[in-house]
Amino acid sequence: MSWAVLGAGYSGIAVAAALLEAGLTVDVLDRRPVPGGLWVDGVYDDVRLITSRKVTSFPGHPMPDGPTFPTGPELLAYLQQVAASTGVTKRLRQCDVQSVTRSGRRWDVNGTSSCGVVGATGMFTRPRVPSLPG
């Protein structure tokens, strides 16, 4: 029986990679067909993170060299590279999770049994793009 990680953004990738590294079976469920979370949805190309490459990087997976504060597209490329190199991408299944219920010592996600569930859906499930003139 596997663990279900709901969400393939920054946190979902981190949790799924750690579970895989521990030798556990993982199913990563995300409504998108590729890892990267909200960064897949086209965050402004010129947006820059407010955290540096060094502190944003996953342990053992340094971000490639570049400006101190990476852009959105740079972070997306990094997240997708980490997901691929840790095996998370292979475990990703596009799925819109409709239900999570506990059944004794198991969890059911959309009717499929899991030994545990990690909710890593983030706080921005819908892109919020302001309408700015010009």
Side-chain angles (χ1 to χ4, degrees):
M1 196 175 310
S2 67
W3 281 79
V5 176
L6 313 181
Y10 189 95
S11 297
I13 293 167
V15 169
L19 292 171
L20 288 167
E21 187 175 326
L24 301 171
T25 305
V26 178
D27 292 317
V28 181
L29 309 174
D30 196 287
R31 71 175 52 155
R32 299 168 188 90
V34 295
L38 69 94
W39 301 99
V40 173
D41 296 325
V43 175
Y44 300 113
D45 287 345
D46 58 350
V47 74
R48 291 210 175 260
L49 273 66
I50 60 170
T51 55
S52 70
R53 285 176 187 278
K54 184 176 181 179
V55 300
T56 302
S57 296
F58 292 112
H61 299 276
M63 234 184 240
D65 289 338
T68 301
F69 300 99
T71 65
E74 288 173 323
L75 181 62
L76 174 59
Y78 170 73
L79 291 174
Q80 291 180 338
Q81 182 276 320
V82 170
S85 69
T86 59
V88 171
T89 302
K90 290 180 184 174
R91 304 301 306 166
L92 176 63
R93 184 164 45 103
Q94 187 176 10
C95 174
D96 192 11
V97 174
Q98 297 295 317
S99 67
V100 177
T101 57
R102 188 168 180 126
S103 178
R105 295 180 61 116
R106 302 180 285 112
W107 291 86
D108 293 323
V109 179
N110 287 356
T112 301
S113 263
S114 297
C115 58
V117 176
V118 177
T121 58
M123 56 190 278
F124 301 110
T125 57
R126 284 184 227 135
R128 294 183 179 137
V129 180
S131 175
L132 301 173

